[in-house]
Amino acid sequence: MAANFWTSSHYKHLLDQEDVDMVNPLDKEKDILKLAQQVKVRQRVVATAITYMRRVYTRKSMTEYDPRLVAPTCLYLASKAEESTVQARLLVFYIKKLYTDDKYRYEIKDILEMEMKILEALNYYLVVYHPYRSLSPLLQDAGLNDLNMTQLTCLHIHC
């Protein structure tokens, strides 16, 4: 893993602004958020899952990879990458609970198979730099290092 953002694969493989503007997965990000609220994962996992989903759809078509399966799979993969693992079985349970439509009827094997496809689409670059780790030093540098401010920010970002 790279020691900092500027030497990381995340930086080296940044997308051009034109590529990013073409992708608008906001509706499918809601699926990630709904599912994440049910399985109770940290905000960092949700942010990583959304980043993975955006990266996937800059390289693959929504007709090629079904967003209804990509969203929970990105959440599953992000939970593993962020060391806050959620079992695929639990995701399948909540998908079935949240969505009664047959279009959302996925099994554990579907998520595991899609995980491999997503890993390939991401070229196995799983490191995502988020601002969460840098927030405490930033507050200290700004002279806002009192205990109340630190507790407030940790509550807000689920430290």
Side-chain angles (χ1 to χ4, degrees):
M1 187 168 138
N4 66 47
F5 175 75
W6 305 110
T7 60
S8 71
S9 59
H10 184 164
Y11 175 73
K12 291 175 186 171
H13 297 283
L14 281 176
L15 303 171
D16 293 329
Q17 190 61 40
E18 306 86 55
D19 294 335
V20 174
D21 290 340
M22 290 173 44
V23 177
N24 188 8
L26 292 177
D27 290 338
K28 294 306 163 193
E29 288 175 7
K30 291 177 186 174
D31 287 348
I32 291 175
L33 293 172
K34 282 184 199 176
L35 198 51
Q37 288 172 342
Q38 294 296 314
V39 296
K40 296 179 178 35
V41 294
R42 296 179 299 146
Q43 179 62 34
R44 183 177 185 87
V45 174
V46 175
T48 300
I50 289 171
T51 301
Y52 289 168
M53 189 164 182
R54 288 180 179 181
R55 287 180 185 177
V56 166
Y57 285 122
T58 58
R59 294 174 177 89
K60 300 293 180 183
S61 166
M62 285 194 179
T63 58
E64 187 177 358
Y65 287 181
D66 184 0
R68 291 177 298 240
L69 181 56
V70 170
T73 306
C74 284
L75 185 62
Y76 175 66
L77 186 58
S79 74
K80 289 166 66 173
E82 295 294 340
E83 298 177 356
S84 185
T85 305
V86 174
Q87 293 181 357
R89 181 179 344 120
L90 188 62
L91 287 173
V92 169
F93 171 79
Y94 281 113
I95 290 169
K96 289 178 180 178
K97 185 177 175 183
L98 286 171
Y99 305 104
T100 56
D101 189 355
D102 285 340
K103 293 178 183 175
Y104 284 90
R105 294 294 175 179
Y106 294 111
E107 298 301 324
I108 296 170
K109 73 175 186 66
D110 299 319
I111 290 179
L112 298 178
E113 287 172 6
M114 182 56 73
E115 179 186 20
M116 291 298 118
K117 292 178 182 178
I118 288 174
L119 282 168
E120 288 178 21
L122 296 174
N123 292 327
Y124 301 93
Y125 297 121
L126 299 180
V127 176
V128 176
Y129 283 87
H130 296 294
Y132 306 126
R133 287 188 187 148
S134 304
L135 191 56
S136 293
L138 179 67
L139 289 172
Q140 290 174 352
D141 291 346
L144 301 172
N145 57 355
D146 69 4
L147 187 59
N148 290 333
M149 184 62 78
T150 304
Q151 288 174 344
L152 177 65
T153 54
C154 277
L155 277 175
H156 197 19
I157 62 172
H158 308 287
C159 288

